[in-house]
Amino acid sequence: DGGITQSPKYLFRKEGQNVTLSCEQNLNHDAMYWYRQDPGQGLRLIYYSQIVNDFQKGDIAEGYSVSREKKESFPLTVTSAQKNPTAFYLCASSTWTGGRYEQYFGPGTRLTVT
Amino acid sequence: SQKIEQNSEALNIQEGKTATLTCNYTNYSPAYLQWYRQDPGRGPVFLLLIRENEKEKRKERLKVTFDTTLKQSLFHITASQPADSATYLCALDPSANFGNEKLTFGTGTRLTIIP
């Protein structure tokens, strides 16, 4: 059963703690992405990676970090430096196929920091 | 700066009618435009992609148009059903080439089909 998995679905943390969100894909896609979704603001790109051991900052990278040591895995760490970490986090992957691509999304992780 | 707007935050349509959602953009020249569906608490799901040189694309009850002069895409659902109720997102893709795969998403329109 191919797809993207994110775990856990719900995550609660105390302010000041770092937390790592998991994202795994078995679609053999080269590119992976992390988005944040807040009410009324749509999807905002945090980080993306087009190849193993390489990644680029998106539009709102401050307070986040990522790694891409394996093609199938792209974990996101929300650090204590992120001012408003409570949000719905979405991981996605994509591949170039026949002159087009679309992004495949995971089910998301809802992070609440108090 | 680049800006994408989806015509309304929420849209209510009577079952059986055609729902039309709008995506407008400025300061942008996308090669492709994509539409996604998102159900509450779930990740978006890809629906349709239209290229800049295509005027219209259809898939079952869905139709997308792309007017690069008006900088607008329209997304139509004909014979709408309550199961079509969801948030619909448009996304702009600036490049037809591999190596520049950043999409820019609109804020979405929450569509409710009333029985």
Side-chain angles (χ1 to χ4, degrees):
Chain A
D1 202 18
I4 301 178
T5 57
Q6 291 185 242
S7 60
K9 182 128 181 95
Y10 299 95
L11 192 53
F12 299 88
R13 280 294 182 270
K14 294 289 187 186
E15 196 173 318
Q17 293 179 333
N18 292 354
V19 58
T20 297
L21 281 59
S22 167
C23 178
E24 303 279 330
Q25 54 102 356
N26 61 4
L27 300 167
N28 199 33
H29 286 175
D30 293 304
M32 295 187 75
Y33 310 79
W34 274 105
Y35 293 91
R36 170 183 173 137
Q37 189 172 35
D38 297 281
Q41 293 203 48
L43 299 177
R44 292 186 290 168
L45 183 63
I46 304 172
Y47 268 99
Y48 64 106
S49 168
Q50 293 172 322
I51 197 168
V52 174
N53 292 321
D54 188 45
F55 49 82
Q56 286 78 41
K57 292 181 179 180
D59 301 318
I60 55 164
E62 186 175 347
Y64 300 97
S65 66
V66 293
S67 63
R68 187 86 186 277
E69 297 176 2
K70 299 186 295 183
K71 187 175 185 178
E72 57 270 21
S73 178
F74 191 40
L76 172 75
T77 297
V78 184
T79 74
S80 57
Q82 168 50 233
K83 299 290 184 229
N84 297 296
T86 295
F88 187 47
Y89 290 88
L90 287 160
C91 178
S93 70
S94 71
T95 193
W96 182 251
T97 305
R100 52 165 281 183
Y101 74 95
E102 64 257 21
Q103 295 196 356
Y104 294 79
F105 284 84
T109 292
R110 189 166 297 279
L111 173 65
T112 302
V113 177
T114 57
Chain B
S1 61
Q2 298 162 355
K3 195 173 178 184
I4 302 166
E5 288 182 338
Q6 294 193 240
N7 62 327
S8 55
E9 200 171 309
L11 187 64
N12 296 329
I13 298 292
Q14 204 71 35
E15 181 177 4
K17 302 290 185 186
T18 296
T20 298
L21 285 64
T22 304
C23 178
N24 294 295
Y25 58 93
T26 57
N27 299 325
Y28 212 85
S29 296
Y32 297 88
L33 191 141
Q34 303 183 18
W35 283 88
Y36 290 77
R37 169 183 172 141
Q38 186 176 23
D39 291 287
R42 310 282 295 270
V45 175
F46 173 81
L47 295 174
L48 278 171
L49 174 151
I50 187 166
R51 293 176 174 80
E52 61 180 339
N53 59 354
E54 295 178 317
K55 295 293 185 189
E56 182 180 297
K57 198 77 163 288
R58 290 176 185 262
K59 180 182 176 183
E60 297 172 353
R61 293 184 297 110
L62 308 180
K63 184 178 86 171
V64 173
T65 62
F66 194 11
D67 189 326
T68 54
T69 302
L70 291 177
K71 295 186 180 295
Q72 180 182 82
S73 174
L74 299 179
F75 177 82
H76 306 273
I77 305 175
T78 59
S80 59
Q81 305 166 0
D84 295 326
S85 298
T87 295
Y88 292 85
L89 305 167
C90 67
L92 301 181
D93 169 12
S95 171
N97 301 314
F98 181 75
N100 186 8
E101 296 180 332
K102 283 176 58 177
L103 295 181
T104 302
F105 283 86
T107 54
T109 295
R110 188 173 67 252
L111 177 65
T112 302
I113 305 300
I114 303 166

